[in-house]
Amino acid sequence: DGFRFTANKANQLLQKAFIDIETSFYMDYREKLLKLCLDGLRIPKINESIKKRLYSWFPNKDRWRPSFYESMGIWKKENDVVYSLMRGIFDESVSNQRSAGQALAKVAVGDKEVKDRLLLVVKEHPEIQTKAVALESLLEGWSDEKEVGELVNFYAESNSPHLSLVGIYGKVVKNTQTELDLKKLISLGTWDGGAGYEWTDLVVKLLLTGWAGSTEVKQRCLNALHGGSRDERLESSIALKVLLCG
């Protein structure tokens, strides 16, 4: 309060701080801003705004919001809707993140500003799964963009299971998948080398759309249900879904 800002100016700066706390890539910076905001609870002109925002920050008890974000996918593109979905991409739960990213692609499809923001997340965000979520969103709303195609080719070769999986998704979207991609995809659907249960639906989707009618996929799924090394076979839930839907 030493700078003697007006209440209006103080709240403008506060709103900018809120956005950075919620979406900045740099955790140290976010933590410092949060501490400053908490100190601001002692300042009458801004403490009510801070109290209201705190309710949406801590604690995050609702880790299962995919259906909520999914329903937002049919909402009209307005600034607060886009911001809420973009904020969801930075959620603590991967399931929430992915659902928010998918809804964002529907609401803001073709929007250049949103595309550029997502590209920045993919290129610079330090958390691997957040990068993967942003790339998945780009594929669902901006798959024809040149920069997206370049990222797909790069990350399909990634050592990260999440980025590699989404990279293969991009190749399937562009119909450039190979048998080597299938080998990687099956590995990503195993118990030992998989991308995690939050991504199993994408493994199923890619096996069904990228290799429809494949005898190798069918045999791999049957093997998963009837034996073989647990670490080398597809997760049984993935195999069953592919066999039932394929």
Side-chain angles (χ1 to χ4, degrees), residues 10-245:
N11 276 288
Q12 287 179 5
L13 293 171
L14 192 61
Q15 294 305 313
K16 174 64 169 61
F18 289 159
I19 292 172
D20 285 352
I21 288 170
E22 294 167 355
T23 64
S24 172
F25 299 170
Y26 307 106
M27 188 56 68
D28 288 347
Y29 172 60
R30 294 169 70 177
E31 289 175 351
K32 288 177 182 177
L33 280 181
L34 178 58
K35 183 178 184 304
L36 289 172
C37 279
L38 293 178
D39 289 343
L41 288 170
R42 295 173 297 179
I43 303 173
K45 68 176 69 172
I46 61 173
N47 63 3
E48 286 302 318
S49 295
I50 296 172
K51 287 178 184 177
K52 289 178 182 178
R53 204 70 168 209
L54 283 174
Y55 285 115
S56 69
W57 288 345
F58 180 83
N60 181 13
K61 296 179 179 179
D62 189 0
R63 299 181 66 85
W64 298 99
R65 291 188 293 234
S67 59
F68 173 71
Y69 285 127
E70 182 181 354
S71 68
M72 291 179 69
I74 63 173
W75 291 12
K76 183 178 179 181
K77 187 180 80 171
E78 297 179 346
N79 289 340
D80 57 343
V81 174
V82 171
Y83 177 75
S84 295
L85 292 173
M86 182 63 76
R87 178 182 170 187
I89 287 177
F90 301 95
D91 196 276
E92 298 169 32
S93 161
V94 177
S95 297
N96 290 341
Q97 286 181 289
R98 291 189 63 211
S99 186
Q102 291 161 6
L104 180 63
K106 294 176 182 177
V107 169
V109 58
D111 185 290
K112 183 181 183 303
E113 184 177 345
V114 175
K115 178 203 72 175
D116 289 344
R117 174 65 173 167
L118 289 170
L119 284 171
L120 191 64
V121 174
V122 176
K123 294 175 182 178
E124 298 190 10
H125 201 281
E127 295 180 0
I128 295 296
Q129 294 213 66
T130 301
K131 291 164 76 79
V133 166
L135 182 56
E136 182 183 31
S137 183
L138 283 166
L139 285 168
E140 299 195 356
W142 299 266
S143 61
D144 292 334
E145 295 286 340
K146 180 181 178 181
E147 285 182 281
V148 176
E150 292 171 349
L151 289 171
V152 162
N153 293 331
F154 178 77
Y155 284 118
E157 306 300 323
S158 173
N159 290 326
S160 160
H162 310 103
L163 288 170
S164 180
L165 176 60
V166 181
I168 294 171
Y169 176 27
K171 295 181 75 171
V172 169
V173 168
K174 295 180 178 296
N175 198 31
T176 60
Q177 69 272 26
T178 66
E179 290 306 304
L180 180 59
D181 293 322
L182 174 58
K183 183 178 179 180
K184 291 181 181 177
L185 181 61
I186 289 174
S187 176
L188 291 168
T190 62
W191 291 99
D192 186 47
Y197 72 91
E198 299 97 341
W199 295 90
T200 55
D201 64 300
L202 185 55
V203 176
V204 171
K205 176 180 177 178
L206 298 185
L207 288 172
L208 289 171
T209 58
W211 289 270
S214 167
T215 55
E216 181 179 354
V217 171
K218 178 180 178 181
Q219 191 58 52
R220 288 277 195 163
C221 291
L222 290 171
N223 291 345
L225 297 177
H226 297 295
S229 171
R230 174 187 171 97
D231 292 342
E232 297 178 358
R233 69 175 192 257
L234 281 169
E235 292 187 32
S236 58
S237 62
I238 292 175
L240 185 60
K241 289 176 183 177
V242 171
L243 289 172
L244 291 174
C245 300

